[in-house]
Amino acid sequence: MTNKIRKAVFPAAGLGTRFLPATKASPKEMLPLVDKPLIQVSVEEAVASGIESILIVTGREKAPIENHFDISFELEQLLKERKKDELFDMVRGISEITRISYTRQKQALGLGHAILQASDFTPNEAFAVLLADDVVDSEVPAMKQLIDVYEKYGDPVVATMQVEGPAISRFGVIDAEEVEPNVFRVRDMVEKPAFEEAPSDLAIIGRYILTPDIFPAIENTKKGAGGEIQITDAMRDLLEERPLYAVKLEGTRHDAGDKLGFLIATVEFALKRDDLGNEFREYLRSLDLS
Ligand code: G1P
């Protein structure tokens, strides 16, 4: 079994109920951070982390994701005719980003069940999982931070960040022991605990490195929090058989699948843009926020 993480899985079949009505007929993964769809932001993160092949787990109403990463013949033709070379290169570049395949999760039965759809894609080697609505703005790409830990320990890795107060119950939460700065060995984990029952303030963020033994573990996992088959529960079972690590991410995480989180991420990304940042900053300063 190769030790290199070459493959990544993107669960993208969720119904996006937190972002209705925008997500009624369009995938939440296509919501743009300024002008770039969330799914492209995280695919670029994967590629920057060394990933060579991607599986996107889609569902009904998700065709725009496939179209986005395909060649857009008419648009390219038009941009060529109008000599818009830069735009042409950008549009063509998206379809050449890396190898992407698709499979359907026929029912939205939970994150664990979505990941199970990747068992034929990566039956024998460890793989990355990225949740596109967790946007991590960091110096070193978030997935690369996990891969570095995987290459050292050879066991599954989850991303974690500290979350203060009752908001912790919106996450999977780990109980863990720090083995080197920002790297933890996980003792236990629980999906969306009540605030009083959370074992720590270390929340699981949507980046994982998993090994193929997760697939039988998912198959044996019963419905958990929210009546869904949870990846946290499957990893918890696996903990009885092998170590599992967590890496505290350097960077800022935005929940772009949530309306407020999305607004914050949009403002932060817009302010950093060379072409928009200054004007946008001036506009924000001019607002009367009293
Ligand atoms: C999922 C995971 C949860 C994790 C979270 C990170 O939950 O089940 O463990 O903390 O992503 O965003 P979801 O937000 O899909 O309910």
Side-chain angles (χ1 to χ4, degrees):
M1 191 157 98
T2 160
N3 201 31
K4 187 168 176 340
I5 303 295
R6 301 183 304 135
K7 297 183 176 185
V9 177
F10 286 70
L15 298 178
T17 47
R18 291 187 298 157
F19 224 109
L20 285 166
T23 47
K24 183 168 178 248
S26 327
K28 70 169 171 181
E29 294 78 11
M30 291 302 292
L31 290 168
L33 276 185
V34 186
D35 52 9
K36 193 180 281 185
L38 293 175
I39 187 87
Q40 188 185 337
V41 172
S42 50
V43 164
E44 286 179 359
E45 176 193 318
V47 171
S49 305
I51 296 298
E52 296 162 8
S53 180
I54 283 173
L55 177 73
I56 303 184
V57 181
T58 66
R60 282 176 289 280
E61 314 293 352
K62 300 285 184 167
I65 298 178
E66 296 185 38
N67 295 340
H68 186 71
F69 291 107
D70 197 356
I71 285 181
S72 182
F73 189 75
E74 266 183 278
L75 177 63
E76 290 188 10
Q77 197 70 18
L78 185 121
L79 293 173
K80 225 187 240 169
E81 276 165 23
R82 299 198 179 159
K83 309 232 176 314
K84 306 238 182 219
D85 295 345
E86 251 178 62
L87 280 181
F88 175 87
D89 290 346
M90 188 242 273
V91 165
R92 172 54 68 91
I94 298 170
S95 65
E96 291 173 347
I97 220 163
T98 188
R99 274 184 297 153
I100 305 186
S101 17
Y102 300 88
T103 191
R104 282 246 192 154
Q105 184 189 12
K106 293 177 192 143
Q107 284 177 286
L109 295 180
L111 180 56
H113 181 258
I115 293 171
L116 184 57
Q117 311 307 310
S119 58
D120 285 345
F121 171 68
T122 175
N124 301 314
E125 64 184 81
F127 59 99
V129 176
L130 293 92
L131 308 187
D133 48 9
D134 271 337
V135 174
V136 185
D137 187 8
S138 57
E139 201 110 317
V140 178
M143 184 42 73
K144 179 75 172 56
Q145 298 181 43
L146 275 77
I147 288 175
D148 289 344
V149 173
Y150 175 77
E151 283 176 351
K152 182 160 177 192
Y153 292 93
D155 284 299
V157 184
V158 299
T160 186
M161 276 187 172
Q162 259 161 325
V163 170
E164 309 290 339
I168 193 79
S169 14
R170 294 207 290 264
F171 295 85
V173 183
I174 59 170
D175 173 25
E177 175 195 349
E178 197 160 17
V179 289
E180 61 175 286
N182 297 325
V183 179
F184 298 77
R185 177 147 176 191
V186 177
R187 278 190 289 251
D188 201 1
M189 49 174 60
V190 51
E191 180 68 13
K192 301 196 173 73
F195 173 45
E196 306 75 40
E197 280 156 30
S200 76
D201 60 357
L202 291 173
I204 299 174
I205 303 303
R207 301 286 182 279
Y208 308 79
I209 307 268
L210 297 171
T211 42
D213 48 3
I214 196 67
F215 297 125
I218 299 172
E219 274 167 355
N220 289 325
T221 298
K222 298 194 177 57
K223 287 181 183 172
E228 297 190 336
I229 297 174
Q230 299 289 354
I231 192 63
T232 306
D233 294 340
M235 289 189 298
R236 185 170 196 262
D237 281 353
L238 212 53
L239 262 179
E240 285 170 24
E241 283 157 42
R242 67 182 305 161
L244 197 143
Y245 291 86
V247 57
K248 202 198 257 177
L249 292 179
E250 163 275 311
T252 309
R253 175 251 180 197
H254 301 290
D255 180 2
D258 166 77
K259 289 175 193 175
L260 182 61
F262 178 80
L263 285 172
I264 294 170
T266 301
V267 170
E268 299 257 345
F269 274 67
L271 286 172
K272 285 189 186 178
R273 286 273 294 246
D274 291 339
D275 55 343
L276 298 166
N278 287 342
E279 267 182 82
F280 188 49
R281 185 169 291 103
E282 261 173 54
Y283 165 71
L284 291 178
R285 281 211 183 100
S286 76
L287 290 177
D288 178 4
L289 296 175
S290 54

